[in-house]
Amino acid sequence: MRAESPEGTETARAEERGAGRITLAQVGAQAGVSLSTVSKVLNGRPDVAAPTRRKVEELLEEHGYRRPAPTPPEAPLLEIVFHELDSTWSMELIRGVQNVANAHGMSVVLTETGTRHSPGADWVEGVLRRRPLGVVLVFSTLPADLKKKLWSRAIPFVIVDPAGDPEPDVPSVGSANWAGGLAATRHLIELGHRRTAVITGPEDMLCALARLDGFRSAHNMARIAPDPELIRFGDFHVSSGHQHALDLLDRPDRPTAIFAGSDLQALGVLEAARVLGLRVPHDLSVVGYDDIPLAQWSSPALTTIDQPLEQMAEEAARMLLRLRREEEGETRIELGTRLVVRGSTGVPRA
């Protein structure tokens, strides 16, 4: 009796699923390729030309084929994908995914690609070849064609700390950004600051806008009108906080406090204050956001909003495993934030 190859078994199973619909042989005929080529596409084999792979994938999607969960490889993988890597903020997310992977005997693949809005177009071909058990994405969302390709291969995905508001069919784990902005600003107001600046993130990122809304809400609740000239949009990096702070603190009516939308920007603010000869918190109070490990080692130690990045990544990885097993559970999670008071905030000078 002839032993059937894994590839042949996969093709036979796919043919059974297609009973009553188009067969894989017919897909091959429509695409102008052999049945073995269709089988290679289904199995994620790399030895298929990209145009041919796309044509076959489109026909499979058009006719409703949904690839079953592949047999786990010898070293099961979880993949985490960033548009850029930062040694402090990103490491917290990586650590969270790694914690869950270690607990389940898995390995982690790290990928850098695309923009903060979505991964690069070439990324999906690589992930289909790697066939991880799931993908954690640090983006705002996924284009429709990439979602279809992942779904067709039964590769679940979750977006963590989304830059925007993901579509209802995109699982995500985020945090309470508005509440964090509110708590940071309310802390400064309660200390007596009436002229507070904010350096949030990019204008096209929902988390940055939510933190700014929290800043404004705290002022409204205290019946204080925030000065529009003290509202700045940065990019969450040190240089952004530094440049905006130099400009804000060079004003004759400079602010007595600055709320930075990330700890990295807050570190830039601290450096700007040092360059200008201002003492923190005697001359200027500073609040950050994220509570990365470096925050407690700045000088002075940084008052900040604890965004539980490691826990967010853990929840995302656990969600992937639930989706993999097709178990019931939340697919939109928002974790709480909290104020951590350290040495960078104090009462304003009289």
Side-chain angles (χ1 to χ4, degrees), residues 176-190 196 198 207-222 259 287-289 305 337-339:
N177 289 291
W178 178 86
L182 179 76
T185 312
R186 179 178 286 169
H187 170 64
L188 293 170
I189 290 173
E190 289 174 350
T196 298
V198 59
C207 60
L209 296 176
R211 292 169 198 178
L212 177 58
D213 284 344
F215 169 85
R216 287 172 169 149
S217 296
H219 280 85
N220 291 339
M221 292 175 184
F259 166 40
V287 179
Y289 201 106
I305 297 297
T337 53
R338 66 185 181 90
L339 176 69

Side-chain angles (χ1 to χ4, degrees), residues 19-249:
R21 296 179 291 176
I22 193 169
T23 66
L24 294 184
Q26 290 171 324
V27 169
Q30 288 188 19
V33 300
S34 66
L35 177 59
S36 65
T37 298
V38 177
S39 181
K40 288 178 180 180
V41 173
L42 274 172
N43 285 277
R45 289 271 298 276
D47 52 338
V48 180
T52 301
R53 182 184 300 278
R54 284 194 297 271
K55 191 171 185 179
V56 172
E57 290 278 8
E58 289 170 0
L59 286 169
L60 290 171
E61 291 170 10
E62 178 183 340
H63 293 291
Y65 275 95
R66 184 183 179 94
R67 189 186 186 285
T71 302
E74 292 183 2
L77 303 175
L78 292 181
E79 184 160 343
I80 181 167
V81 189
F82 297 88
H83 80 278
E84 63 178 357
L85 287 172
D86 177 84
S87 60
T88 50
W89 186 86
S90 302
M91 277 304 302
E92 293 297 293
L93 296 177
I94 294 169
R95 186 177 294 111
V97 175
Q98 186 70 56
N99 291 344
V100 175
N102 288 343
H104 291 83
M106 300 176 182
S107 299
V108 176
V109 175
L110 181 62
T111 302
E112 183 178 13
T113 179
T115 69
R116 64 174 176 265
H117 295 292
S118 65
D122 59 341
W123 165 75
V124 73
E125 296 298 329
V127 79
L128 293 180
R129 288 194 299 271
R130 288 186 292 274
R131 293 165 65 176
L133 300 183
V135 181
V136 174
L137 296 148
V138 189
F139 297 96
S140 63
T141 189
L142 274 181
D145 61 325
L146 297 190
K147 287 192 291 187
K148 285 182 180 179
K149 288 183 177 181
L150 292 176
W151 284 333
S152 72
R153 297 300 185 85
I155 299 175
F157 57 88
V158 176
I159 289 180
V160 65
D161 194 25
D165 186 20
E167 293 88 346
D169 61 351
V170 175
S172 67
V173 178
S175 67
N177 289 291
W178 178 86
L182 179 76
T185 312
R186 179 178 286 169
H187 170 64
L188 293 170
I189 290 173
E190 289 174 350
L191 286 172
H193 293 278
R194 295 297 179 265
R195 188 164 178 77
T196 298
V198 59
I199 307 172
T200 189
E203 289 186 77
D204 60 352
M205 293 183 70
L206 185 64
C207 60
L209 296 176
R211 292 169 198 178
L212 177 58
D213 284 344
F215 169 85
R216 287 172 169 149
S217 296
H219 280 85
N220 291 339
M221 292 175 184
R223 300 185 182 278
I224 300 171
D227 185 346
E229 294 294 320
L230 301 184
I231 296 175
R232 305 296 172 88
F233 291 93
D235 61 9
F236 290 146
H237 289 86
V238 175
S239 58
S240 170
H242 184 254
Q243 290 299 319
H244 281 298
L246 286 175
D247 180 60
L248 288 164
L249 298 175

